[in-house]
Amino acid sequence: MYAPFFGLQHPPFSIAPDPRYLFMSERHREALAHLLYGLDAGGGFVLLTGEIGTGKTTVCRCFLEQIPAHCNVAYIFNPKLTVPELLRSICDEFGVAHQAAAPGVETVKDCLDPLNAFLLQQHAAGRNNVLIIDEAQNLAPDVLEQLRLLTNLETSERKLLQIILIGQPELRAMVAAPELEQLAQRVIARYHLQALSADETRQYIAHRLAVAGLQGPLPFARRALARVHALTGGVPRRINLLCDRALLGAYAAGQREVGEAIVRQAAREVFDAPVAAGPGRWWPAALGGLAGAAALGALGWAMGWWPVAVVDATRRQAPVAVTTPAAVAAPAGPATAPLAPVSNPEAKAGAQPPLTLAGFLAAQAEGPSPDGWQLLAQAWQASLPPDAADPCAQLASEGLRCWRHRRASLNLLRQLDRPVLLTLRPQDGSAGEGGVMVLLRQLDGDKATLAGANGSTLQVALADLAPLWHGEVATLWKAPANLPTGSNVAATVAGAAWLDRQLTLAGQARTDQRGISPAQQRRARVHQFQLGQGLTPDGQAGPLTLMMLNRAAGVQEPSLRAGG
């Protein structure tokens, strides 16, 4: 109802788990890192707990998207089961056939035997098996004990089943009970997800509004944002409920900005929270509820009592700034007149229309221009021949390594803070199966600066990129010429010495301990660094870890924040 009034394309604060609105705070990234760590930890339990609405399901969904292809996953979302029901559900999730050995009721053994055979077969094939149980605080004690027994299924090398329990804070108390001491000893990682801070609450609200299509400033006053955090405690689900109702109240009152009084009134409507007496009425006639307010608002809009923001569909792709070398060099005249907004009815005849994202992408395939890899090389002040068969091999001679990923997130790009190649896929299919490669040169709040053919640049809202980008990225990072190219950069003496120096520069001090080899100490330092950066804490210095090490150690590399 209120979305067009605030210049939005979609309702921004739905409580439905829409992946477009995924917001990963530092806490969420660290929680995700603990779950990913559990995949290769050799079995046992991983616990993720948090208050209602803090984002446990969001983290779980993100985790499921990043599970490697060599992992089988069973997901139980309704744990109010008996032991036989749980085992049947696990078998069904893994696709394991089971049946009663004798006529009558199926026994626990009838499920355990085929499940054990399946896990052994998958282990022999090099596959891991992960069982995820959501709302695990509802598990009965005897079911928890059965889960512990499932972790007894093992070979001489490792356990065959990794179990992840996700639940509310009482799950921690359950596991800490004396009768579950044996289970508690098998917990290899645990994380309690806290609510958002005041600053993260502001970022969360801004993020959702940007994805919903907001082009201008936030429609929340500064004091209103502080009040939202105070009333919700930083719990994302409560933030959604309160902000949705507050925007509805502002719309009903014909106000373009949500003030603190509106937030207080919305809290009373949503949470039944007490509201201080005083200037808290939103609308004339002191209507008693938001239903009446919404009706009055709709009537006022229809009768023209207050103006409504005109949102042209083409404005979602209108850039903030467009520059091309041709435009800079062109003589003064109509072609270089100030760009008129598409929705401006008073635009002068003959004025150049603004370049849209669709037009920018269409131009990438027109005429001779450097491909995406050449654009990326230029951002790193490196040279790449147009006919280079293997750009990564060519760039390696200049001390640059390639990194590609097919499921990256915006938060990961912000964390890496370096120019990247994005593969965009226009919804009309005009780019073909391969998509269009453009250079993401800068991220500034909810705006992205893209570089493309003929040196052109385009600044667009991140919300406009979301439907076109599915996570495919490529970027570079600096590395010494003698650094091993495999997954273990410490495989050589020179590589190990370089990694030790980088860790020291990044603040991970060396600790000499008796009985621990230098390799074990190095792995422990990498593990601690990864935890601090929200990376998967596996102790292996892979490309993501090395890129973050470069940034923490002060290696001079181009930055997305600085625009190169």
Side-chain angles (χ1 to χ4, degrees):
M1 179 183 294
Y2 60 74
F5 182 78
F6 290 102
L8 305 174
Q9 303 294 324
H10 312 282
F13 294 109
S14 169
I15 60 174
D18 190 334
R20 293 179 301 171
Y21 290 92
L22 176 65
F23 176 83
M24 293 286 283
S25 69
E26 292 295 331
R27 294 171 177 82
H28 290 87
R29 283 200 293 268
E30 190 166 348
L32 176 61
H34 279 73
L35 296 184
L36 291 171
Y37 167 71
L39 288 179
D40 296 312
F45 289 89
V46 176
L47 265 61
L48 172 61
T49 57
E51 297 288 349
I52 298 173
T54 51
K56 300 184 298 296
T57 300
T58 297
V59 171
C60 185
R61 287 176 180 271
C62 191
F63 169 68
L64 289 172
E65 290 181 355
Q66 298 189 33
I67 287 182
H70 68 272
C71 291
N72 300 318
V73 179
Y75 184 84
I76 307 294
F77 59 88
N78 178 21
K80 287 189 175 182
L81 304 169
T82 63
V83 169
E85 289 172 340
L86 173 73
L87 291 175
R88 286 196 292 271
S89 297
I90 294 173
C91 287
D92 292 341
E93 284 292 310
F94 279 128
V96 178
H98 55 94
Q99 61 182 1
V105 179
E106 192 174 47
T107 66
V108 168
K109 179 176 170 57
D110 292 332
C111 291
L112 274 180
D113 287 348
L115 178 60
N116 188 36
F118 168 79
L119 295 176
L120 284 169
Q121 178 189 32
Q122 294 300 300
H123 172 72
R127 299 185 65 82
N128 293 350
N129 301 283
V130 183
L131 169 63
I132 302 173
I133 300 182
D134 206 350
E135 301 295 342
Q137 76 277 355
N138 294 318
L139 291 168
D142 61 327
V143 176
L144 278 170
E145 174 61 16
Q146 180 60 63
L147 288 173
R148 182 190 70 81
L149 294 175
L150 285 180
T151 62
N152 287 337
L153 303 177
E154 58 187 357
T155 67
S156 58
E157 301 171 351
R158 63 177 294 151
K159 295 185 180 298
L160 299 178
L161 186 62
Q162 176 72 67
I163 301 177
I164 296 175
L165 302 180
I166 301 174
Q168 295 171 23
E170 50 264 39
L171 176 62
R172 292 193 298 176
M174 292 169 56
V175 173
E179 58 269 25
L180 290 176
E181 173 65 23
Q182 288 182 296
L183 186 151
Q185 291 180 4
R186 300 190 184 191
V187 175
I188 59 174
R190 64 184 75 206
Y191 189 84
H192 185 69
L193 187 60
Q194 302 284 355
L196 302 177
S197 66
D199 187 54
E200 287 170 335
T201 297
R202 181 192 61 78
Q203 295 174 15
Y204 176 82
I205 293 171
H207 168 76
R208 294 191 72 99
L209 286 166
V211 173
L214 182 69
Q215 297 287 333
L218 288 182
F220 285 84
R222 180 178 59 83
R223 292 176 62 87
L225 290 171
R227 181 56 54 188
V228 168
H229 179 262
L231 290 169
T232 63
V235 176
R237 188 178 301 162
R238 290 172 64 86
I239 294 172
N240 286 358
L241 291 170
L242 181 56
C243 288
D244 180 71
R245 191 59 62 92
L247 286 173
L248 178 60
Y251 154 71
Q255 297 182 21
R256 299 293 182 184
E257 183 178 73
V258 177
E260 186 178 8
I262 291 181
V263 171
R264 287 179 180 273
Q265 181 70 18
R268 187 173 67 179
E269 294 285 340
V270 177
F271 307 136
D272 195 24
V275 179
R281 303 298 183 189
W282 295 350
W283 44 82
L287 294 176
L290 279 170
L296 178 62
L299 178 61
W301 185 0
M303 297 298 292
W305 294 345
W306 48 72
V308 178
V310 178
V311 180
D312 192 295
T314 59
R315 290 195 60 187
R316 287 198 70 224
Q317 294 185 342
V320 175
V322 181
T323 60
T324 65
V328 173
T336 57
L339 301 182
V342 173
S343 58
N344 181 5
E346 299 179 359
K348 295 181 179 180
Q352 180 182 344
L355 181 61
T356 64
L357 179 56
F360 176 82
L361 295 178
Q364 305 311 304
E366 298 177 0
S369 62
D371 64 15
W373 283 101
Q374 287 180 284
L375 292 171
L376 184 62
Q378 291 170 12
W380 287 76
Q381 298 182 348
S383 58
L384 184 65
D387 57 349
D390 187 347
C392 290
Q394 182 73 30
L395 291 169
S397 63
E398 299 197 30
L400 296 173
R401 297 284 179 88
C402 290
W403 179 77
R404 298 181 177 94
H405 201 283
R406 296 186 63 84
R407 298 289 294 176
S409 66
L410 178 62
N411 284 322
L412 178 60
L413 300 190
R414 291 189 189 278
Q415 189 177 15
L416 293 177
D417 187 24
R418 62 194 59 233
V420 297
L421 277 182
L422 301 179
T423 299
L424 304 183
R425 302 182 184 279
Q427 295 172 317
D428 60 4
S430 58
E433 294 184 0
V436 178
M437 295 181 74
V438 298
L439 179 69
L440 176 61
R441 198 173 72 179
Q442 184 173 10
L443 276 178
D444 184 12
D446 61 350
K447 296 292 190 294
T449 300
L450 306 178
N454 303 316
S456 61
T457 62
L458 175 68
Q459 189 180 66
V460 295
L462 290 175
D464 295 336
L465 285 180
L468 311 183
W469 181 56
H470 301 157
E472 295 176 70
V473 297
T475 191
L476 303 171
W477 56 284
K478 289 184 178 180
N482 59 354
L483 196 68
T485 57
S487 59
N488 184 13
V489 298
T492 64
V493 174
W498 175 82
L499 181 56
D500 286 339
R501 286 195 300 271
Q502 293 295 93
L503 287 166
T504 300
L505 290 171
Q508 296 296 323
R510 188 195 303 267
T511 57
D512 295 325
Q513 302 179 29
R514 291 183 179 181
I516 299 181
S517 67
Q520 290 174 318
Q521 293 182 34
R522 187 177 302 112
R523 184 183 180 92
R525 294 170 73 194
V526 170
H527 183 274
Q528 285 300 115
F529 176 78
Q530 290 169 329
L531 277 178
Q533 298 292 324
L535 301 173
T536 304
D538 57 7
Q540 298 289 335
L544 279 177
T545 299
L546 296 177
M547 282 188 275
M548 298 305 296
L549 267 176
N550 272 5
R551 188 68 67 200
V555 175
Q556 294 299 311
E557 294 179 322
S559 168
L560 272 181
R561 299 174 188 173

